Amino acid sequence: MKFLYKHIIFVIIITLSINSSWAESLPQKDFSTPRKSMNYFLKVMKSYKLGQRENLELAHDVLNLSQYSDDVKNIKGDEYSIKLINVLDKIAYIDIKKIPEKPIYNVWYFKKENITIEDKVFEVEIGLSKNEKENWLFTKDTLESLDTYELYLKNKETVKNVVADNSLRQRIISITPNWLLKENLVLKNIQWLGLVLIILISFIVDRVFRHIIVKRTLSFFENKHVKVKKLKSFFENENYSRPFGLLANLIVFRLLLPLLELNANVLNVVLITTKVLMGVIVVLAVTKLIDIISLFLLERAKETENKFDDILVPLINKTSRFFVYAFGIIYIGDALNLNMKNLLAGMGIGGIAFALAAKDTLSNLFGSFTVLMDRPFSIGDWVVINDKIEGTVEDVGLRSTRIRTFYDSLISVPNGNLTSAYIDNNGKRRFRRFSTKITVEYNTPAQKIENFCEAIRRLVLSYPNTRKDYFHVYFSSMSSSSLDILVYVFFIVPDWSEELKEKHNFLLDIKRIAEEMKINFAFPTQTLHLINDEAANHDSTEIDFIKTQSIIDKLDKTRAPIETHRSGADKI
């Protein structure tokens, strides 16, 4: 066993030393002559063939890729480097010393010839030309000739004394029939086959990833004790997992795309389309993620008594969506090679005009933050705005607040108007006031009225949802057809429905007390008296203040007046 470990360590050390020796032997980047450029390319690609795959990118510097975008350069640079070294390895052993240091012309050809493939003649070349920076690079025509040259040399062996490329790509190319390498409708047959295979793999990844994301999300919410049934319906109705599956699909497609070795023009179109779709799908995925986070926060907010969360969560949701859409537009513009810097700079120059045009929008935006910070109302509150708009707050957005009226219409109030509006928030009331007058008949004895008032006071104290420290029940006035008893109480209830229920029960109990005490309620009546002339004559009465005082003295001895007000539990 010890011998095996030592052997493994020895192999690792030898491998690292070989790799490090090749890394050290790489020439400096000097492309001032064709010889130096060719030598650099051959050394770099030799290290690549010996296992240093990361050096493949170094070979890009010797290729003229100026006509391509950055994304195409990275993909086509790898492809051209591999194809070029394989073509060179099959043409001839290259003696670096025979490559000129100072060629006569600005273009030097290593090989330029006409080749015949299936009775068709093609002109191919391998050459280097001097660019504007005085660097000798493999020409554009050389890169465009590589597909044809590689097909022509497909069955030819690598020349002697050259390290062969034994990569999987070369093994596949060597056993691939020629008919698969023919072009048909823009792409080669093997590329069409590979495209179908990549789409199939991406589709499978899409479905698997959707299943995983839904399962993991549901598991997360189950652990957080959130209602899973509601989440399942959300996933089904909102297609929550679809953007995430499509995102995984596109990522796999993008990673496998270089294997197809598409034509540069086709590749450029595919890459731009992929980036645009990626931007759209990322925006959709992030918005779905925001929705599920908001759903989780709303479920948590319902567990708290503070209604501020009910406003904050939807507002954060909409604000986050706004920024996601903005970044998505910028990303898609960049993918389409639009100059977003100049576009944003142009928006800065026109900022004054934009600000004037968007004055109301900005006012509403700042109004929404004012509502958020000042908190004049919460979701579900019954509000009256400027004595004109009355209803229940249903939603607070970035631009407006929606009020559901009691006749079920929906009014949108711009948030900018709320900063200067008078808002009467009935939903913030600690108590719900109830004031009414109970009218009894004029022939009701005074003692009954006193007992009736006392019974109502004790009824108030017995109710669980009434304010006990402040209420009034008094014989308050004598109307034209009734004796009026004021009942002034407060209910401790959360909403109007509960208030109506408590009023209902309270008034029914007052009716039961009146029936028990045999007190009749009065209603507006008129009594017509028919009298004769003799009855209309009153007895003559003289002014006698002494007699009047005796009546008051008698009343003082017989009555039992309330010494203090009876408007609280401590007074009864």
Side-chain angles (χ1 to χ4, degrees), residues 91-103:
I91 292 176
Y93 179 82
I94 301 174
D95 188 354
I96 293 297
K97 295 179 181 180
K98 293 182 180 181
I99 299 176
E101 284 279 1
K102 296 180 180 180

Side-chain angles (χ1 to χ4, degrees), residues 30-266:
D30 184 0
F31 311 134
S32 58
T33 66
R35 180 185 296 180
K36 291 180 179 179
S37 296
M38 179 67 79
N39 182 54
Y40 179 83
F41 179 76
L42 294 176
K43 292 288 187 181
V44 168
M45 293 309 296
K46 185 175 183 180
S47 68
Y48 164 78
K49 289 185 286 185
L50 289 172
Q52 290 186 311
R53 299 296 178 179
E54 67 277 6
N55 287 347
L56 181 60
E57 189 175 349
L58 299 176
H60 297 182
D61 297 331
V62 201
L63 308 178
N64 189 348
L65 302 170
S66 58
Q67 71 272 31
Y68 302 131
S69 64
D70 291 338
D71 291 333
V72 176
K73 279 181 184 179
N74 293 331
I75 296 175
K76 298 303 289 185
D78 289 349
E79 177 189 335
Y80 286 148
S81 299
I82 294 172
K83 287 182 177 180
L84 180 56
I85 193 61
N86 287 322
V87 168
L88 291 174
D89 288 346
K90 292 183 178 182
I91 292 176
Y93 179 82
I94 301 174
D95 188 354
I96 293 297
K97 295 179 181 180
K98 293 182 180 181
I99 299 176
E101 284 279 1
K102 296 180 180 180
I104 300 173
Y105 305 104
N106 288 334
V107 179
W108 174 80
Y109 293 103
F110 173 75
K111 195 80 172 178
K112 186 173 183 179
E113 61 181 330
N114 292 328
I115 59 175
T116 302
I117 302 177
E118 295 183 353
D119 300 329
K120 292 183 180 180
V121 179
F122 300 91
E123 183 179 353
V124 294
E125 68 174 58
I126 296 177
L128 293 95
S129 63
K130 187 189 295 185
N131 65 5
E132 63 277 3
K133 295 182 180 180
E134 300 294 323
N135 291 327
W136 287 83
L137 307 178
F138 287 98
T139 63
K140 298 176 183 178
D141 292 335
T142 298
L143 303 181
E144 292 174 0
S145 301
L146 291 176
D147 281 340
T148 305
Y149 228 148
E150 188 176 43
L151 179 60
Y152 176 71
L153 301 170
K154 172 177 174 290
N155 297 321
K156 189 175 180 181
E157 295 293 331
T158 303
V159 298
K160 294 181 179 180
N161 301 324
V162 172
V163 177
D165 183 5
N166 295 319
S167 63
L168 177 62
R169 176 190 180 277
Q170 290 308 115
R171 291 198 292 269
I172 292 175
I173 291 293
S174 62
I175 63 174
T176 301
N178 287 340
W179 67 269
L180 281 177
L181 299 176
K182 291 181 180 180
E183 188 173 299
N184 188 8
L185 296 176
V186 182
L187 302 181
K188 297 176 183 178
N189 292 327
I190 192 172
Q191 290 173 332
W192 282 115
L193 186 63
L195 183 61
V196 171
L197 184 61
I198 289 176
I199 292 175
L200 179 61
I201 294 173
S202 301
F203 178 77
I204 295 172
V205 171
D206 178 350
R207 293 297 170 179
V208 172
F209 195 76
R210 285 194 197 188
H211 176 73
I212 292 174
I213 199 73
V214 171
K215 186 176 180 181
R216 290 297 179 90
T217 306
L218 289 176
S219 175
F220 170 78
F221 282 103
E222 283 179 347
N223 294 334
K224 297 295 181 179
H225 307 291
V226 179
K227 298 177 181 177
V228 179
K229 289 184 179 179
K230 189 172 183 179
L231 289 173
K232 286 182 178 178
S233 63
F234 174 80
F235 293 151
E236 293 171 359
N237 298 333
E238 299 293 334
N239 294 318
Y240 165 72
S241 62
R242 178 177 295 175
F244 296 96
L246 291 175
L247 183 60
N249 187 325
L250 267 182
I251 291 174
V252 172
F253 180 82
R254 176 64 180 81
L255 292 175
L256 298 178
L257 183 62
L259 300 178
L260 296 178
E261 297 184 355
L262 299 175
N263 176 277
N265 295 327
V266 176

Side-chain angles (χ1 to χ4, degrees), residues 362-408:
L362 293 175
S363 174
N364 293 331
L365 182 62
F366 285 112
S368 64
F369 288 114
T370 302
V371 169
L372 179 64
M373 300 304 297
D374 193 42
R375 289 184 282 176
F377 48 73
S378 302
I379 301 296
D381 283 353
W382 168 17
V383 297
V384 181
I385 300 174
N386 287 339
D387 295 328
K388 295 180 181 179
I389 301 173
E390 182 177 6
T392 304
V393 178
E394 189 167 280
D395 181 55
V396 179
L398 288 176
R399 195 196 72 82
S400 63
T401 296
R402 292 175 176 83
I403 307 294
R404 179 72 65 178
T405 65
F406 293 119
Y407 44 89
D408 204 38

